[in-house]
Amino acid sequence: MTAPKYIRNFSIIAHIDHGKSTLADRLMERTGTVSEREMKQQLLDDMDIERQRGITIKARAVTMHYQFEGQTYELNLIDTPGHVDFQYEVSRSLACCEGAVLLVDAFQGVEAQTVANAYSAMEHNLTVVPVLNKIDLVHARPDEVKEEMEHTLGIDAEDVLGCSAKTGVGCEEVLAAIIDRVPAPEGDPKATFQAMVFDAHYDEFRGAITYIRVVNGTVRKGQKIKFLQQGTKHEVIELGHFTPQREAADTLTAGQVGYLICNIKSLGNVHVGDTVSTSGDHPAEVLPGYEEPKRMVFCGLYPSDGQDFKQLRDALDRLAINDPSFEFAPETSDALGFGFRCGFLGMLHMEIIQQRLEQEADVDLIQTAPNVTYQVETHNGEFFEIHTPQDVPDGGDIEEFRQPIVRVSFVLPTEYIGAVMKLNADRRGVYVRTEYLSTTRAMLVYDLALADVIYDMHDKLKTVTRGYGTMDYELLGYEGGDLVRLDILVKNERVDALSIVCDKRDADRRGRAVIKKLKKEIPRHMFEVALQAAIGTRIIARENISAMRKNVTAKCYGGDISRKRKLWEKQKAGKKRMKSIGSVDIPQKAFLAVLETGEEEGKKK
């Protein structure tokens, strides 16, 4: 059993691609946690999709033991994601630590997510250990980056350590700084057992595996415990540490990070942020948990073959077990049949869920255009949250239509300030401030509608800054806007899956773009098909797909014109009848037209 004074709990936080997972690999090597034979790149990123994309999606914990000045220290590292969508995972990890290693790329410098993560660590009252990574790069500019860190984050340049996570240079100094600077946990091993659930995952052989950070007391194998929020009691069958695989132990004591296995058959019985205590009459106090993750992006997922509905439901159930930040509910579409309305943290989260469904469950999916959550107040004083455009009431009933507003921080080289300002002006962004991080880099801050940010802002930013710009955003709240529901009608029938909510000033442009795209995607029929974009009952754009033609008079050579007229009239009557009873076949790729038009418009600008 390790005494709390010899325990250090820390996270590694950084902007995406600044080397968090690589540094975690080197620290595990230096502490002898993993042998050379077991070592592989990004060892903690064990999901296939994490390795394919080269990003961290789930926070992972690992316990390392390190000899320092004749004493063995237990270092508990929680590796965190860097992308803005997974900020929720980062905040959960920080709540379990006393310190954070803030990693900054020695060439790219302070980026948007670096600033957000550093402030988040400071809000949790963590000791920040600033580390400059990639100092072995030919283009590294350590002095300028230290100056940026000092100016932006208030970090003393002399406290910044240098290392190369790739080669391992400076990793011993990082470990020494963690032991020296990060305070030991304050828990009492003899107090009543009290622990925070910071994550959980489902193992098909062992059931729910609960990740805990012990705050006070000690837990032993065979002990009866209680999840205070759920009110359920269980017996501890196994407990231990992650090294990085599960390694059983007899006890977990105050300050330690580890796992519990209690024969829990469903992850629905384990709540992240719950407090675990003894099952007696006097359990410990409930710890402050985590805020519920806010799902900001919603879209419909439908099986392309209606027969796969049950298969899709089973796959979503399995995914939701290990990802509490994702939710889904069944819905029906006239155009697409039975499917699910799913809520995600952001666009990357949505892409990853969709990719995992297609890879792991082998389900071919149709995805409707994503939309954010809106709020509507009617004249009757009723208040609704809108997750899908079909739920928007008629325009005459709406008193106020509110949309989520985010504060976006752009970090970019100074020569691109004008281009990024124009990008924000096109999206009606409200300018907040400009901060100069150094002579060559600046941070622009704007308030924008979330809907304008999530669709293609990241891609456009990378385009106008040639890849050097980065962005981060935080939700400010909801504000009233001049919003409308834009409906797409095919043959005078509304296609619910193609409806979108947009700003009234953009409706004309977006409606025309969608209609033009659909005209290319929908094949010709034996009758004329009218495509229309409408706001309520007002048609704002129209295109016609002309009917296939058959030359019925081809067999008439000369003779009386009345014979030809009779054939034409017969054909006309047939087409009219066909138009009234015929249905239009809309191909799957047409449903992505709403998404793709936004990208095309950007290229035209």
Side-chain angles (χ1 to χ4, degrees):
M1 191 190 291
T2 310
K5 66 178 178 178
Y6 298 124
I7 297 173
R8 299 290 184 271
N9 297 319
F10 70 101
S11 285
I12 302 178
I13 53 175
H15 186 81
I16 195 165
D17 280 341
H18 279 205
K20 293 177 298 300
S21 298
T22 311
L23 180 62
D25 290 350
R26 292 296 83 73
L27 297 183
M28 285 190 285
E29 267 185 1
R30 288 287 183 272
T31 54
T33 306
V34 180
S35 67
E36 271 185 53
R37 188 170 59 83
E38 296 171 301
M39 195 66 217
K40 60 181 177 182
Q41 281 193 325
Q42 280 89 40
L43 186 70
L44 295 182
D45 293 346
D46 52 0
M47 283 162 59
D48 288 342
I49 197 162
E50 288 181 315
R51 305 193 71 79
Q52 284 167 14
R53 285 175 172 254
I55 58 173
T56 304
I57 295 166
K58 287 288 288 177
R60 281 290 312 271
V62 61
T63 299
M64 304 177 286
H65 292 95
Y66 185 61
Q67 283 277 345
F68 182 70
E69 295 180 354
Q71 180 61 49
T72 303
Y73 286 84
E74 183 180 302
L75 308 178
N76 293 309
L77 157 66
I78 300 172
D79 182 32
T80 61
H83 197 279
V84 61
D85 279 13
F86 304 110
Q87 190 62 31
Y88 169 68
E89 292 275 335
V90 178
S91 66
R92 287 200 328 217
S93 305
L94 294 179
C96 295
C97 300
E98 282 77 37
V101 172
L102 179 67
L103 205 60
V104 181
D105 188 310
F107 169 59
Q108 292 179 333
V110 173
E111 300 281 27
Q113 201 63 28
T114 315
V115 178
N117 283 333
Y119 286 151
S120 187
M122 290 165 190
E123 280 167 21
H124 284 85
N125 295 322
L126 302 191
T127 302
V128 175
V129 179
V131 177
L132 212 54
N133 190 21
K134 308 187 187 179
I135 54 169
D136 55 332
L137 283 181
V138 179
H139 308 296
R141 43 189 192 93
D143 295 336
E144 288 173 51
V145 175
K146 283 180 186 177
E147 192 184 310
E148 283 179 22
M149 291 169 78
E150 195 163 8
H151 183 77
T152 319
L153 308 170
I155 288 167
D156 192 336
E158 291 178 8
D159 294 340
V160 180
L161 303 168
C163 83
S164 166
K166 190 175 180 182
T167 60
V169 171
C171 286
E172 267 87 3
E173 287 80 352
V174 173
L175 287 164
I178 291 165
I179 290 167
D180 275 343
R181 299 185 199 177
V182 175
E186 290 179 347
D188 177 5
K190 293 177 182 167
T192 307
F193 172 57
Q194 181 190 41
M196 165 78 86
V197 177
F198 71 90
D199 208 348
H201 84 268
Y202 191 79
D203 184 293
E204 47 189 278
F205 303 109
R206 307 301 306 271
I209 294 172
T210 311
Y211 293 39
I212 61 163
R213 153 73 204 270
V214 184
V215 178
N216 280 307
T218 304
V219 61
R220 293 175 176 79
K221 189 177 171 182
Q223 187 176 338
K224 289 271 197 307
I225 58 163
K226 183 178 182 180
F227 288 87
L228 300 185
Q229 189 182 328
Q230 284 291 99
T232 54
K233 295 182 181 180
H234 303 278
E235 183 183 334
V236 179
I237 292 169
E238 186 187 311
L239 52 81
H241 306 278
F242 296 101
T243 61
Q245 305 310 320
R246 295 197 303 270
E247 186 178 288
D250 294 329
T251 60
L252 284 176
T253 188
Q256 289 190 308
V257 173
Y259 69 90
L260 296 177
I261 298 177
C262 303
N263 232 349
I264 301 171
K265 296 287 188 289
S266 161
L267 259 193
N269 297 329
V270 179
H271 275 265
V272 170
D274 202 347
T275 306
V276 188
S277 189
T278 53
S279 64
D281 297 333
H282 303 289
E285 285 182 21
V286 176
L287 294 163
Y290 307 106
E291 281 182 34
E292 276 291 301
K294 293 188 179 78
R295 286 93 183 174
M296 295 314 302
V297 177
F298 286 80
C299 84
L301 291 180
Y302 294 83
S304 57
D305 180 356
Q307 306 299 316
D308 292 341
F309 177 76
K310 188 176 183 307
Q311 195 182 338
L312 176 59
R313 160 163 276 182
D314 294 342
L316 286 167
D317 278 332
R318 281 198 302 275
L319 259 185
I321 275 176
N322 279 338
D323 190 349
S325 52
F326 146 72
E327 65 179 10
F328 65 95
E331 72 167 2
T332 313
S333 158
D334 296 338
L336 299 172
F338 295 105
F340 295 91
R341 169 72 26 185
C342 304
F344 311 94
L345 299 174
M347 291 292 274
L348 178 70
H349 190 210
M350 181 180 82
E351 275 180 47
I352 282 163
I353 293 286
Q354 191 180 349
Q355 197 175 332
R356 286 182 69 184
L357 283 170
E358 288 179 339
Q359 283 181 358
E360 296 169 16
D362 196 24
V363 181
D364 198 15
L365 294 172
I366 300 175
Q367 171 212 319
T368 63
N371 62 277
V372 299
T373 307
Y374 296 95
Q375 293 179 346
V376 166
E377 191 179 340
T378 62
H379 293 305
N380 309 333
E382 290 183 84
F383 188 77
F384 298 105
E385 278 214 340
I386 304 290
H387 297 313
T388 168
Q390 292 91 284
D391 296 341
V392 176
D394 291 333
D397 298 334
I398 296 173
E399 177 73 33
E400 190 176 28
F401 205 150
R402 300 189 197 108
Q403 61 183 344
I405 302 294
V406 288
R407 178 151 291 177
V408 191
S409 305
F410 301 94
V411 175
L412 59 148
T414 47
E415 63 260 38
Y416 300 117
I417 286 177
V420 174
M421 281 184 146
K422 183 180 182 307
L423 191 66
N424 284 288
D426 291 344
R427 286 162 172 71
R428 288 178 288 280
V430 178
Y431 173 77
V432 179
R433 66 176 183 274
T434 304
E435 284 179 28
Y436 284 88
L437 311 183
S438 68
T439 51
T440 57
R441 288 162 61 76
M443 182 160 80
L444 278 178
V445 182
Y446 271 85
D447 289 347
L448 287 151
L450 178 62
D452 289 327
V453 173
I454 60 165
Y455 294 141
D456 59 356
M457 183 59 118
H458 189 261
D459 297 342
K460 295 283 182 291
L461 177 69
K462 290 292 179 192
T463 304
V464 301
T465 62
R466 300 192 181 173
Y468 288 110
T470 57
M471 60 179 269
D472 173 64
Y473 59 84
E474 59 174 331
L475 186 68
L476 292 180
Y478 285 80
E479 273 182 22
D482 192 8
L483 303 168
V484 290
R485 184 184 74 199
L486 178 66
D487 292 322
I488 303 298
L489 286 74
V490 176
K491 202 171 139 285
N492 296 324
E493 288 180 15
R494 195 178 98 186
V495 182
D496 51 4
L498 291 178
S499 296
I500 52 173
V501 174
C502 65
D503 194 287
K504 198 171 186 176
R505 289 162 290 189
D506 293 337
D508 189 62
R509 176 175 57 83
R510 288 188 74 169
R512 285 180 198 285
V514 173
I515 294 293
K516 280 181 180 165
K517 186 76 179 171
L518 283 176
K519 187 179 179 182
K520 290 180 195 167
E521 300 291 356
I522 295 176
R524 287 169 72 187
H525 289 61
M526 293 301 292
F527 49 88
E528 187 180 80
V529 177
L531 303 174
Q532 296 166 312
I535 298 171
T537 55
R538 185 166 66 89
I539 305 298
I540 59 170
R542 175 177 175 134
E543 292 276 349
N544 287 338
I545 300 173
S546 56
M548 287 179 177
R549 286 196 61 198
K550 181 183 178 186
N551 190 354
V552 290
T553 58
K555 60 181 182 279
C556 299
Y557 297 100
D560 189 2
I561 188 71
S562 60
R563 170 70 181 148
K564 290 185 179 180
R565 281 194 185 129
K566 193 175 178 183
L567 287 168
W568 284 331
E569 287 300 321
K570 193 176 176 185
Q571 183 185 38
K572 196 173 170 184
K575 284 195 182 261
K576 191 175 178 183
R577 182 173 168 274
M578 218 183 280
K579 191 172 182 177
S580 65
I581 62 165
S583 61
V584 179
D585 176 38
I586 305 175
Q588 294 168 18
K589 59 183 177 180
F591 291 101
L592 297 174
V594 183
L595 264 181
E596 289 166 11
T597 46
E599 288 166 23
E600 285 180 2
E601 288 155 23
K603 286 170 195 163
K604 287 172 193 165
K605 283 179 189 173

